[in-house]
Amino acid sequence: MEKSCSLLIHFDKGTPALANEIKEALEGNDIPAKIEAMKKAVMLLLNGETLPQLFITIIRYVLPSEDHTIQKLLLLYLEIIEKTDSKGRVLPEMILICQNLRNNLQHPNEYLRGATLRFLCRLNEVDIIEPLIPSIMNNLEHRHPYVRRNAILAVMSVYKLPHGEQLLVDAPEKIENVLTTEQDPSAKRNAFLMLFQCAQERAINYLLTHVDRVSDWGELLQMVVLDLIRKVCRTNKAEKGRYIKIIISLLTAPSAAVTYECAGTLVSLSSAPSAIRAAANTYCQLLQSQSDNNVKLIVLDRLNELKSSHKDVMVDMIMDVLRALSSPNLDIRRKTLDIVLELITPRNINEVVLTLKKEVVKTQSGELEKNGEYRQMLIQAIHSCAIKFPEVASTVVHLLMDFLGDSNVASAIDVVVFVREIIETNPKLRVSIVTRLLDTFYQIRAARVCSCALWIIGEYCLSLSEAESGIATIKQCLGDLPFFSISEESEAADSSKKTQQINSITTLSSRRPAVLADGTYATQSAASETAFSPLTVVQGSLTTGNLRSLLLTGDFFLGAVVACTLTKLILRLEEVQPSKLEVNKATTNALLIMVSMIQLGQSHVLPHPIDNDSHDRIVLCIRLLCNTGNEVRKIWLSSCRESFVNMLSDKQLRETEEIKAKAQISHSQPDDLIDFYHLKSRKGMSQLELEDEVQDDLKRATGEFVKDENDANKLSRVLQLTGFSDPVYAEAYVTVHHYDIVLDVTVINRTKETLQNLCLELATMGDLKLVERPQNYTIAPESSKQIKANIKVSSTETGVIFGNIVYESSNVLERTVVVLNDIHIDIMDYISPAVCSEAAFRTMWAEFEWENKVAVNTVIQDEKGFLDHIIKSTNMKCLTAPSALEDECGFLAANLYAKSVFGEDALVNLSIEKQSDGKLSGYIRIRSKTQGIALSLGDKITLKQKGGN
């Protein structure tokens, strides 16, 4: 078994040095060789070797050495070796080292004294320490601070031993005297720490006696003072009024660590608005003054916690929080925006939006490589602001429309989605938005942005001038018709003939080369726009033909959107244009465009022909323009927009439900105590204490003090580890808290004998790591022992904890082993429902490389019921709108999303179909960035999908 030591060194035991080689090196006079030999001995001992034959050699040849390195290694050696026998008595040979330790404590060299005193802090054997007590106490008055601070720590460790108070009866009094006269900051901190842990009343008295000087103390001592205040106030809440003044005075300390701890202490002790405001102000100052990004992220986490519990106070700090956007780090900016968006009110919305607009303008400079991603975050934030407060939309929408042609496609998509929502929710802005969109439409280069912009043009160009401008803009962006010539098609069909033609033409000085879609070369005349390939036509009209260039890459879905938009504009033109001649002319032009697109899709110019869906859609538009009925007209001009309005209302309803779900639901009990604040005595109470009383009354009235977890939930976490017939019964209470798992194991000795050296040996499988090494215990007959084991979790993966209980008894010579039941750590403890946009879900779905495909196998016959069961079993959030899941059609597809405590994303797509026999079939696909979460979630779904608990 590995030995515990303050020193941890990696050592490869593959070729261990022989004990006799180490012994020879230690007996020699070569100092470097002795040092190497001692290092090897220490590392072998750390890795489980015993080396009993070296002890006498070290006593004879190493103990007298004056070399400081050898003496330091000797202390490490003495710390590791066994100093007691099986019955717990100190080995007789250990008396040999006592004289050496006493000599070191009286040595003229300060380093040796200090190193020996630090060694004594880790000794637990009273028989070895007792003869050294006078020497330890004498070092409290040594001239060098290094010796004094280690002597104080040695006194504290000895005093905390089982019989330490008998060895050092007057230690607290002497340390208090040292604290009064000490000038060294570290020694003073150690002295106060000793009083804090061993004589708390003396520490409190000293603190209250020197209240006015606390702000002048060193950083280390101030940190211990805050620890003392937290401990005292937790045990006796009535005392906190005496310490709040100290905390507030430390908020202005020069040390960032002290102010951070001070703000945290203030929040934990008081819920008064003035205290929370002071803490939030301190966090905001740290956010500006600290350059370390990790510090900024931690401070933002604290501000986020304050936002959840004290939103009213944090609203006033919103502009201070926004200053964190000056950091170039995207994670800091994202977290800052998340906090700010939940603190927006009608009072501060204008200031916030103005700041966000300035940040958007800054991103146009192009100095930073991630400006596009930051701009996208800002656009999404402004979108959220404009939806909550429609009156600010007019101040931002025109600025954002400049980014419709942004090279960052995701940013441009966010802008056009924002414009689409604003134009519906703000009718007053319709005319200005449509005019601006038509003016900037030619700048758009992304097909998805073009599609959404065309839908806006088709739905919201209502007047005669707007409809005509919309048709003219689309025609201008499509360029001249047809999209290709007959000669081009023959070239595409006969590549050899085209190559010969190219070779003959390239000799002319009036022509220049161009690259075709298939990678071959053609030529383009400098005098004429007529070309031999569709790509050369695009090059001739780059500034106006964005739709043309996209169509000629084979994007016929966009072609279908163009056809639908033209159809809507013509239908609206028929309603508002009195001249039939103008309407017929516009209809003819639209039909010509649609026919040209179908002709292009069916030609051999492009590598891929038009898809059936787009072809059918364009043909439908042609038929509609040739013969329009009133019912069809109503569908095209009204129903599409009504569906969009319903989609927006569903979205708003979901957001409202999420806000309600996040809000803390508290209920007070009818028999709860009621304190009448106005009838209480206020004598001697500070303003902060009075505010605290009010806040406590409010919390009690709203039931915020009610415990969340009931006894039934606690019992469900108790796991039986051994059988009832085993000599040792064990059960564990499992507590999962983010990155930690705590096992509180109860071990009961059911025999009539004393069990010695009982050890709980645990091992883990998966990304779980034991924090502490197992210890040995002695359990009396029919008595119990509580053993705690801490386990660190490093990823969202279903882990397994297994192990044994090993013990010795007087009747059995060999050690007895009881095998424990396995403890399976559930993935559900690490993931929680989360929300993301549809675009973000699709992006992650495309990027994530791990997929787990689970076939549906269930007795549940209702599609919606099965979806609800999977959501409940996996603790995930359904992103699909409820309106899309309402109808009974025999098919159901839904997207689920969750996030782990480690920041991992879990994506699930559920696609099911109802068979003729009533059973459900289909697949559940899980995607994630890491393998563990995909496999664990798949196993969970496989286990739970049949409808079991």
Side-chain angles (χ1 to χ4, degrees):
M1 186 182 296
E2 292 184 355
K3 305 295 172 62
S4 61
C5 177
S6 59
L7 183 71
L8 293 177
I9 307 172
H10 172 72
F11 180 63
D12 187 6
K13 288 178 64 179
T15 56
L18 296 175
N20 55 358
E21 293 178 4
I22 297 174
K23 187 176 180 182
E24 288 176 9
L26 292 175
E27 291 174 351
N29 295 322
D30 187 1
I31 297 297
K34 275 189 175 183
I35 291 173
E36 286 301 316
M38 283 298 294
K39 287 181 179 179
K40 289 178 181 177
V42 168
M43 288 189 283
L44 285 170
L45 286 167
L46 282 174
N47 283 275
E49 301 292 334
T50 53
L51 305 178
Q53 64 273 37
L54 287 182
F55 183 76
I56 298 300
T57 303
I58 288 173
I59 294 296
R60 289 180 61 190
Y61 296 99
V62 178
L63 211 63
S65 175
E66 292 293 328
D67 185 81
H68 292 173
T69 306
I70 291 178
Q71 286 296 323
K72 179 65 176 175
L73 290 169
L74 173 64
L75 293 175
L76 288 172
Y77 170 79
L78 294 176
E79 182 184 343
I80 302 166
I81 61 172
E82 288 288 345
K83 304 173 199 59
T84 57
D85 58 17
S86 59
K87 296 183 179 179
R89 293 176 295 196
V90 175
L91 296 171
E93 54 266 31
M94 287 298 118
I95 305 301
L96 297 172
I97 69 170
C98 285
Q99 185 60 40
N100 175 261
L101 294 175
R102 186 184 291 108
N103 292 341
N104 282 353
L105 292 175
Q106 298 170 357
H107 200 280
N109 183 274
E110 296 88 356
Y111 173 75
L112 272 183
R113 285 199 185 204
T116 305
L117 287 165
R118 286 190 72 86
F119 163 71
L120 293 177
C121 294
R122 296 185 285 272
L123 270 188
N124 297 321
E125 289 73 27
V126 176
D127 293 340
I128 299 175
I129 292 174
E130 189 173 2
L132 307 175
I133 296 293
S135 300
I136 295 173
M137 300 304 288
N138 289 337
N139 279 304
L140 290 174
E141 301 172 0
H142 193 272
R143 60 181 175 78
H144 202 284
Y146 175 71
V147 177
R148 293 200 303 273
R149 71 176 74 123
N150 284 305
I152 295 168
L153 290 177
V155 170
M156 181 174 69
S157 63
V158 172
Y159 193 81
K160 290 166 71 175
L161 289 175
H163 302 288
E165 295 181 15
Q166 299 173 8
L167 295 176
L168 293 169
V169 179
D170 58 345
E173 184 180 350
K174 288 194 174 183
I175 295 298
E176 189 174 7
N177 295 333
V178 169
L179 182 60
T180 307
T181 58
E182 184 59 65
Q183 299 300 318
D184 180 65
S186 296
K188 202 164 186 174
R189 175 258 181 195
N190 290 351
F192 191 82
L193 181 65
M194 189 272 174
L195 293 180
F196 167 35
Q197 295 190 358
C198 303
Q200 189 170 301
E201 285 301 321
R202 288 180 181 271
I204 293 171
N205 291 335
Y206 180 81
L207 175 61
L208 296 177
T209 307
H210 300 82
V211 168
D212 298 333
R213 297 172 55 191
V214 172
S215 56
D216 300 326
W217 290 351
E219 173 187 349
L220 297 173
L221 185 53
Q222 288 174 344
M223 297 287 278
V224 181
V225 166
L226 290 172
D227 287 340
L228 172 65
I229 291 173
R230 277 196 294 266
K231 183 177 179 182
V232 171
C233 293
R234 271 198 296 266
T235 54
N236 188 4
K237 291 185 178 181
E239 295 287 321
K240 67 181 177 182
R242 304 166 67 186
Y243 302 102
I244 291 291
K245 293 177 182 176
I246 300 175
I247 299 173
I248 292 176
S249 68
L250 290 178
L251 283 174
T252 56
S255 167
V258 172
T259 54
Y260 173 79
E261 286 294 328
C262 206
T265 305
L266 194 58
V267 171
S268 65
L269 297 183
S270 174
S271 56
S274 56
I276 301 302
R277 194 174 293 109
N281 191 43
T282 302
Y283 284 139
C284 290
Q285 289 174 3
L286 288 172
L287 206 56
Q288 295 304 309
S289 61
Q290 299 301 306
S291 57
D292 191 329
N293 288 338
N294 292 321
V295 173
K296 287 177 182 283
L297 288 169
I298 291 169
V299 171
L300 285 169
D301 284 337
R302 300 291 83 77
L303 287 170
N304 193 33
E305 291 170 4
L306 283 183
K307 178 209 69 183
S308 303
S309 53
H310 304 280
K311 188 173 181 180
D312 294 340
V313 177
M314 284 299 298
V315 164
D316 298 331
M317 311 294 298
I318 190 168
M319 297 310 297
D320 296 316
V321 177
L322 264 177
R323 291 194 183 97
L325 292 178
S326 59
S327 171
N329 185 276
L330 279 182
D331 292 327
I332 293 173
R333 287 170 161 174
R334 184 179 292 108
K335 195 164 279 191
T336 302
L337 289 173
D338 290 342
I339 293 172
V340 166
L341 289 178
E342 293 190 34
L343 297 175
I344 297 172
T345 63
R347 285 187 302 156
N348 57 35
I349 181 65
N350 291 323
E351 288 181 285
V352 172
V353 170
L354 183 62
T355 304
L356 295 178
K357 281 171 64 178
K358 289 178 180 177
E359 291 295 318
V360 170
V361 173
K362 286 180 187 177
T363 61
Q364 292 178 289
S365 61
E367 295 175 2
L368 299 173
E369 58 181 64
K370 292 189 177 179
N371 266 350
E373 193 172 345
Y374 179 42
R375 189 186 306 124
Q376 184 184 356
M377 288 162 48
L378 290 170
I379 290 167
Q380 290 171 350
I382 293 173
H383 185 176
S384 179
C385 293
I387 297 305
K388 290 181 181 177
F389 302 94
E391 63 272 12
V392 302
S394 59
T395 63
V396 294
V397 67
H398 297 297
L399 171 67
L400 295 185
M401 288 181 75
D402 291 336
F403 297 99
L404 284 172
D406 197 347
S407 56
N408 184 357
V409 177
S411 177
I413 291 172
D414 285 334
V415 171
V416 78
V417 169
F418 168 66
V419 171
R420 184 181 67 179
E421 193 163 346
I422 291 301
I423 200 172
E424 174 58 40
T425 55
N426 291 263
K428 294 179 181 179
L429 299 176
R430 186 191 63 78
V431 176
S432 60
I433 290 177
V434 167
T435 305
R436 186 65 181 272
L437 181 60
L438 293 174
D439 291 341
T440 57
F441 185 80
Y442 72 92
Q443 299 175 353
I444 302 173
R445 296 292 162 194
R448 289 183 63 187
V449 181
C450 274
S451 300
C452 193
L454 286 168
W455 186 89
I456 295 171
I457 292 171
E459 289 293 336
Y460 296 97
C461 286
L462 304 180
S463 66
L464 174 61
S465 59
E466 289 170 350
E468 289 177 342
S469 299
I471 295 171
T473 300
I474 294 173
K475 284 180 64 178
Q476 184 184 10
C477 292
L478 285 171
D480 297 332
L481 299 177
F483 293 108
F484 71 100
S485 63
I486 301 300
S487 59
E488 291 167 8
E489 185 173 15
S490 61
E491 285 176 28
D494 190 358
S495 59
S496 60
K497 181 179 178 181
K498 177 175 64 179
T499 306
Q500 294 173 2
Q501 188 178 12
I502 291 167
N503 292 335
S504 64
I505 293 174
T506 51
T507 58
L508 299 175
S509 59
S510 62
R511 298 180 181 272
R512 59 179 183 268
V515 184
L516 295 177
D518 59 357
T520 58
Y521 288 92
T523 57
Q524 181 177 2
S525 173
S528 172
E529 287 298 326
T530 305
F532 294 99
S533 75
L535 190 57
T536 55
V537 178
V538 175
Q539 290 176 343
S541 56
L542 270 177
T543 57
T544 56
N546 56 339
L547 289 179
R548 188 185 191 93
S549 62
L550 291 169
L551 274 176
L552 294 171
T553 58
D555 191 347
F556 287 101
F557 174 78
L558 179 61
V561 175
V562 170
C564 292
T565 304
L566 287 172
T567 302
K568 289 179 183 177
L569 291 174
I570 297 297
L571 292 176
R572 192 158 281 119
L573 200 63
E574 291 177 359
E575 293 181 347
V576 296
Q577 173 60 270
S579 172
K580 294 294 182 184
L581 183 63
E582 293 294 330
V583 173
N584 292 337
K585 184 179 178 182
T587 306
T588 305
N589 288 331
L591 289 171
L592 181 60
I593 291 170
M594 296 177 198
V595 171
S596 297
M597 287 191 291
I598 292 177
Q599 189 181 18
L600 174 66
Q602 293 176 342
S603 69
H604 298 287
V605 174
L606 299 179
H608 301 291
I610 186 172
D611 58 284
N612 292 333
D613 290 340
S614 300
H615 178 271
D616 293 345
R617 189 73 170 167
I618 296 172
V619 170
L620 177 64
C621 292
I622 293 172
R623 289 177 178 171
L624 183 61
L625 290 179
C626 294
N627 185 14
T628 308
N630 290 331
E631 289 298 324
V632 176
R633 183 188 298 274
K634 182 181 176 183
I635 292 171
W636 278 75
L637 295 183
S638 304
S639 299
C640 293
R641 191 164 167 185
E642 288 172 3
S643 298
F644 178 60
V645 171
N646 292 335
M647 187 190 83
L648 290 181
S649 61
D650 282 349
K651 179 184 174 185
Q652 190 173 4
L653 182 64
R654 287 206 308 275
E655 289 174 353
T656 306
E657 289 175 353
E658 287 165 13
I659 293 171
K660 287 181 180 178
K662 284 182 182 178
Q664 186 176 8
I665 300 172
S666 305
H667 301 286
S668 58
Q669 297 300 319
D671 57 346
D672 282 350
L673 177 68
I674 299 176
D675 285 331
F676 292 95
Y677 159 72
H678 292 286
L679 301 180
K680 281 187 175 182
S681 172
R682 306 184 191 182
K683 194 176 292 184
M685 294 179 72
S686 65
Q687 181 62 30
L688 202 61
E689 289 177 276
L690 292 173
E691 290 181 23
D692 261 342
E693 290 289 338
V694 176
Q695 294 299 318
D696 288 348
D697 289 347
L698 286 173
K699 287 183 178 180
R700 195 175 286 107
T702 56
E704 202 168 316
F705 290 146
V706 178
K707 292 182 180 179
D708 294 331
E709 194 174 25
N710 56 29
D711 294 335
N713 289 336
K714 289 183 178 179
L715 288 173
S716 67
R717 292 182 174 273
V718 176
L719 302 174
Q720 183 180 337
L721 300 181
T722 62
F724 292 114
S725 60
D726 287 320
V728 174
Y729 176 77
E731 64 181 21
Y733 177 67
V734 183
T735 306
V736 179
H737 183 71
H738 292 313
Y739 302 96
D740 300 302
I741 299 172
V742 179
L743 297 181
D744 195 350
V745 183
T746 302
V747 179
I748 302 174
N749 179 6
R750 304 182 66 220
T751 66
K752 302 289 185 181
E753 302 171 359
T754 300
L755 303 183
Q756 298 177 345
N757 295 329
L758 183 141
C759 180
L760 175 66
E761 297 178 348
L762 296 176
T764 59
M765 190 168 64
D767 288 336
L768 306 174
K769 289 183 181 178
L770 283 166
V771 177
E772 301 163 344
R773 293 194 178 100
Q775 295 181 359
N776 291 339
Y777 302 93
T778 300
I779 303 182
E782 298 182 349
S783 63
S784 62
K785 181 73 177 176
Q786 297 289 127
I787 303 174
K788 283 196 174 184
N790 291 309
I791 296 167
K792 284 285 181 187
V793 187
S794 56
S795 76
T796 313
E797 183 177 346
T798 301
V800 180
I801 304 170
F802 55 94
N804 312 306
I805 290 179
V806 184
Y807 62 90
E808 298 173 354
S809 61
S810 57
N811 294 340
V812 183
L813 297 177
E814 296 181 357
R815 303 194 78 183
T816 306
V817 179
V818 178
V819 180
L820 305 178
N821 288 335
D822 295 346
I823 301 174
H824 294 266
I825 303 302
D826 195 350
I827 186 178
M828 294 302 105
D829 292 321
Y830 304 112
I831 67 171
S832 55
V835 179
C836 71
S837 65
E838 184 182 352
F841 186 92
R842 290 179 182 277
T843 303
M844 289 188 286
W845 188 268
E847 289 176 355
F848 290 174
E849 55 187 5
W850 291 102
E851 178 176 304
N852 190 3
K853 194 173 182 181
V854 179
V856 172
N857 181 15
T858 180
V859 295
I860 301 173
Q861 296 189 350
D862 178 56
E863 307 97 271
K864 187 70 168 58
F866 181 68
L867 173 64
D868 293 338
H869 176 67
I870 292 296
I871 292 172
K872 183 180 178 182
S873 302
T874 57
N875 198 25
M876 301 189 83
K877 175 75 175 177
C878 181
L879 301 181
T880 307
S883 57
L885 305 172
E886 287 175 354
D887 297 332
E888 296 282 341
C889 61
F891 297 91
L892 188 144
N895 293 331
L896 312 181
Y897 179 64
K899 214 172 179 63
S900 75
V901 295
F902 309 101
E904 300 166 316
D905 300 289
L907 313 178
V908 172
N909 173 258
L910 174 73
S911 299
I912 52 176
E913 176 187 359
K914 197 165 191 175
Q915 302 290 334
S916 55
D917 57 359
K919 292 184 178 180
L920 298 179
S921 65
Y923 290 97
I924 303 170
R925 297 166 67 194
I926 307 150
R927 285 198 183 182
S928 67
K929 209 169 191 176
T930 56
Q931 182 184 17
I933 194 170
L935 293 176
S936 302
L937 206 52
D939 294 341
K940 185 74 176 178
I941 290 173
T942 303
L943 182 67
K944 293 282 187 178
Q945 68 167 322
K946 290 190 176 182
N949 295 321

mmCIF file of all heavy atoms in Angstrom, residues 758-775:
data_model
loop_
_atom_site.group_PDB
_atom_site.id
_atom_site.type_symbol
_atom_site.label_atom_id
_atom_site.label_comp_id
_atom_site.label_asym_id
_atom_site.label_seq_id
_atom_site.Cartn_x
_atom_site.Cartn_y
_atom_site.Cartn_z
ATOM 1 N N LEU A 758 -9.685 -2.319 9.745
ATOM 2 C CA LEU A 758 -10.756 -2.368 8.744
ATOM 3 C C LEU A 758 -10.544 -1.230 7.744
ATOM 4 O O LEU A 758 -10.357 -0.070 8.125
ATOM 5 C CB LEU A 758 -12.114 -2.244 9.414
ATOM 6 C CG LEU A 758 -13.331 -2.365 8.476
ATOM 7 C CD1 LEU A 758 -14.456 -3.151 9.138
ATOM 8 C CD2 LEU A 758 -13.867 -0.992 8.074
ATOM 9 N N CYS A 759 -10.562 -1.595 6.492
ATOM 10 C CA CYS A 759 -10.264 -0.610 5.437
ATOM 11 C C CYS A 759 -11.305 -0.720 4.319
ATOM 12 O O CYS A 759 -11.623 -1.825 3.859
ATOM 13 C CB CYS A 759 -8.860 -0.851 4.876
ATOM 14 S SG CYS A 759 -8.394 0.300 3.571
ATOM 15 N N LEU A 760 -11.834 0.435 3.920
ATOM 16 C CA LEU A 760 -12.769 0.490 2.789
ATOM 17 C C LEU A 760 -11.948 0.768 1.528
ATOM 18 O O LEU A 760 -11.495 1.890 1.308
ATOM 19 C CB LEU A 760 -13.811 1.585 3.013
ATOM 20 C CG LEU A 760 -14.793 1.847 1.869
ATOM 21 C CD1 LEU A 760 -15.701 0.644 1.640
ATOM 22 C CD2 LEU A 760 -15.623 3.095 2.133
ATOM 23 N N GLU A 761 -11.735 -0.267 0.735
ATOM 24 C CA GLU A 761 -10.927 -0.133 -0.484
ATOM 25 C C GLU A 761 -11.868 0.062 -1.675
ATOM 26 O O GLU A 761 -12.680 -0.809 -1.977
ATOM 27 C CB GLU A 761 -10.056 -1.368 -0.699
ATOM 28 C CG GLU A 761 -9.031 -1.594 0.402
ATOM 29 C CD GLU A 761 -8.213 -2.853 0.177
ATOM 30 O OE1 GLU A 761 -8.599 -3.656 -0.704
ATOM 31 O OE2 GLU A 761 -7.206 -3.044 0.877
ATOM 32 N N LEU A 762 -11.753 1.201 -2.328
ATOM 33 C CA LEU A 762 -12.607 1.509 -3.471
ATOM 34 C C LEU A 762 -11.775 1.659 -4.727
ATOM 35 O O LEU A 762 -10.613 2.071 -4.684
ATOM 36 C CB LEU A 762 -13.387 2.810 -3.218
ATOM 37 C CG LEU A 762 -14.395 2.804 -2.068
ATOM 38 C CD1 LEU A 762 -14.990 4.176 -1.886
ATOM 39 C CD2 LEU A 762 -15.492 1.777 -2.311
ATOM 40 N N ALA A 763 -12.374 1.312 -5.844
ATOM 41 C CA ALA A 763 -11.754 1.518 -7.161
ATOM 42 C C ALA A 763 -12.839 2.041 -8.098
ATOM 43 O O ALA A 763 -14.039 1.880 -7.839
ATOM 44 C CB ALA A 763 -11.153 0.224 -7.695
ATOM 45 N N THR A 764 -12.425 2.688 -9.161
ATOM 46 C CA THR A 764 -13.394 3.308 -10.069
ATOM 47 C C THR A 764 -13.153 2.874 -11.500
ATOM 48 O O THR A 764 -12.031 2.510 -11.877
ATOM 49 C CB THR A 764 -13.313 4.847 -9.991
ATOM 50 O OG1 THR A 764 -11.987 5.258 -10.344
ATOM 51 C CG2 THR A 764 -13.643 5.346 -8.613
ATOM 52 N N MET A 765 -14.204 2.945 -12.285
ATOM 53 C CA MET A 765 -14.128 2.674 -13.711
ATOM 54 C C MET A 765 -14.818 3.832 -14.425
ATOM 55 O O MET A 765 -15.889 4.273 -14.032
ATOM 56 C CB MET A 765 -14.812 1.353 -14.049
ATOM 57 C CG MET A 765 -14.574 0.868 -15.471
ATOM 58 S SD MET A 765 -15.104 -0.832 -15.678
ATOM 59 C CE MET A 765 -16.858 -0.689 -15.388
ATOM 60 N N GLY A 766 -14.191 4.357 -15.463
ATOM 61 C CA GLY A 766 -14.705 5.556 -16.116
ATOM 62 C C GLY A 766 -13.880 6.761 -15.671
ATOM 63 O O GLY A 766 -12.815 6.631 -15.084
ATOM 64 N N ASP A 767 -14.397 7.937 -15.945
ATOM 65 C CA ASP A 767 -13.686 9.171 -15.614
ATOM 66 C C ASP A 767 -13.955 9.603 -14.178
ATOM 67 O O ASP A 767 -14.408 10.712 -13.903
ATOM 68 C CB ASP A 767 -14.076 10.289 -16.589
ATOM 69 C CG ASP A 767 -13.474 10.064 -17.964
ATOM 70 O OD1 ASP A 767 -12.455 9.363 -18.027
ATOM 71 O OD2 ASP A 767 -14.027 10.562 -18.947
ATOM 72 N N LEU A 768 -13.711 8.684 -13.246
ATOM 73 C CA LEU A 768 -13.848 8.968 -11.819
ATOM 74 C C LEU A 768 -12.498 8.736 -11.147
ATOM 75 O O LEU A 768 -11.774 7.814 -11.507
ATOM 76 C CB LEU A 768 -14.897 8.050 -11.176
ATOM 77 C CG LEU A 768 -16.291 8.028 -11.808
ATOM 78 C CD1 LEU A 768 -17.139 6.965 -11.141
ATOM 79 C CD2 LEU A 768 -16.956 9.373 -11.675
ATOM 80 N N LYS A 769 -12.164 9.588 -10.182
ATOM 81 C CA LYS A 769 -10.884 9.448 -9.488
ATOM 82 C C LYS A 769 -11.090 9.614 -7.989
ATOM 83 O O LYS A 769 -11.756 10.539 -7.540
ATOM 84 C CB LYS A 769 -9.888 10.506 -9.992
ATOM 85 C CG LYS A 769 -9.396 10.258 -11.403
ATOM 86 C CD LYS A 769 -8.355 11.278 -11.824
ATOM 87 C CE LYS A 769 -7.889 11.013 -13.253
ATOM 88 N NZ LYS A 769 -6.916 12.029 -13.709
ATOM 89 N N LEU A 770 -10.483 8.693 -7.234
ATOM 90 C CA LEU A 770 -10.531 8.796 -5.779
ATOM 91 C C LEU A 770 -9.619 9.923 -5.317
ATOM 92 O O LEU A 770 -8.500 10.068 -5.795
ATOM 93 C CB LEU A 770 -10.078 7.477 -5.144
ATOM 94 C CG LEU A 770 -11.104 6.339 -5.155
ATOM 95 C CD1 LEU A 770 -10.435 5.028 -4.816
ATOM 96 C CD2 LEU A 770 -12.220 6.611 -4.173
ATOM 97 N N VAL A 771 -10.109 10.726 -4.392
ATOM 98 C CA VAL A 771 -9.335 11.869 -3.913
ATOM 99 C C VAL A 771 -8.437 11.473 -2.748
ATOM 100 O O VAL A 771 -7.281 11.882 -2.670
ATOM 101 C CB VAL A 771 -10.287 13.012 -3.485
ATOM 102 C CG1 VAL A 771 -9.510 14.185 -2.914
ATOM 103 C CG2 VAL A 771 -11.121 13.453 -4.662
ATOM 104 N N GLU A 772 -8.948 10.640 -1.843
ATOM 105 C CA GLU A 772 -8.216 10.299 -0.632
ATOM 106 C C GLU A 772 -7.814 8.837 -0.630
ATOM 107 O O GLU A 772 -8.513 7.990 -1.176
ATOM 108 C CB GLU A 772 -9.085 10.589 0.605
ATOM 109 C CG GLU A 772 -9.514 12.047 0.711
ATOM 110 C CD GLU A 772 -10.680 12.212 1.662
ATOM 111 O OE1 GLU A 772 -11.321 11.202 1.983
ATOM 112 O OE2 GLU A 772 -10.941 13.354 2.063
ATOM 113 N N ARG A 773 -6.696 8.569 0.030
ATOM 114 C CA ARG A 773 -6.282 7.187 0.209
ATOM 115 C C ARG A 773 -7.079 6.568 1.358
ATOM 116 O O ARG A 773 -7.438 7.258 2.308
ATOM 117 C CB ARG A 773 -4.786 7.119 0.523
ATOM 118 C CG ARG A 773 -3.913 7.560 -0.636
ATOM 119 C CD ARG A 773 -2.478 7.138 -0.358
ATOM 120 N NE ARG A 773 -1.622 7.509 -1.482
ATOM 121 C CZ ARG A 773 -0.852 8.583 -1.491
ATOM 122 N NH1 ARG A 773 -0.827 9.377 -0.443
ATOM 123 N NH2 ARG A 773 -0.101 8.858 -2.532
ATOM 124 N N PRO A 774 -7.342 5.255 1.298
ATOM 125 C CA PRO A 774 -8.132 4.621 2.364
ATOM 126 C C PRO A 774 -7.368 4.586 3.690
ATOM 127 O O PRO A 774 -6.144 4.476 3.711
ATOM 128 C CB PRO A 774 -8.381 3.203 1.817
ATOM 129 C CG PRO A 774 -7.299 2.969 0.819
ATOM 130 C CD PRO A 774 -6.976 4.307 0.231
ATOM 131 N N GLN A 775 -8.115 4.689 4.786
ATOM 132 C CA GLN A 775 -7.519 4.631 6.117
ATOM 133 C C GLN A 775 -8.012 3.380 6.833
ATOM 134 O O GLN A 775 -9.049 2.823 6.501
ATOM 135 C CB GLN A 775 -7.900 5.875 6.926
ATOM 136 C CG GLN A 775 -7.345 7.167 6.350
ATOM 137 C CD GLN A 775 -7.720 8.362 7.204
ATOM 138 O OE1 GLN A 775 -8.411 8.211 8.213
ATOM 139 N NE2 GLN A 775 -7.269 9.540 6.816
#
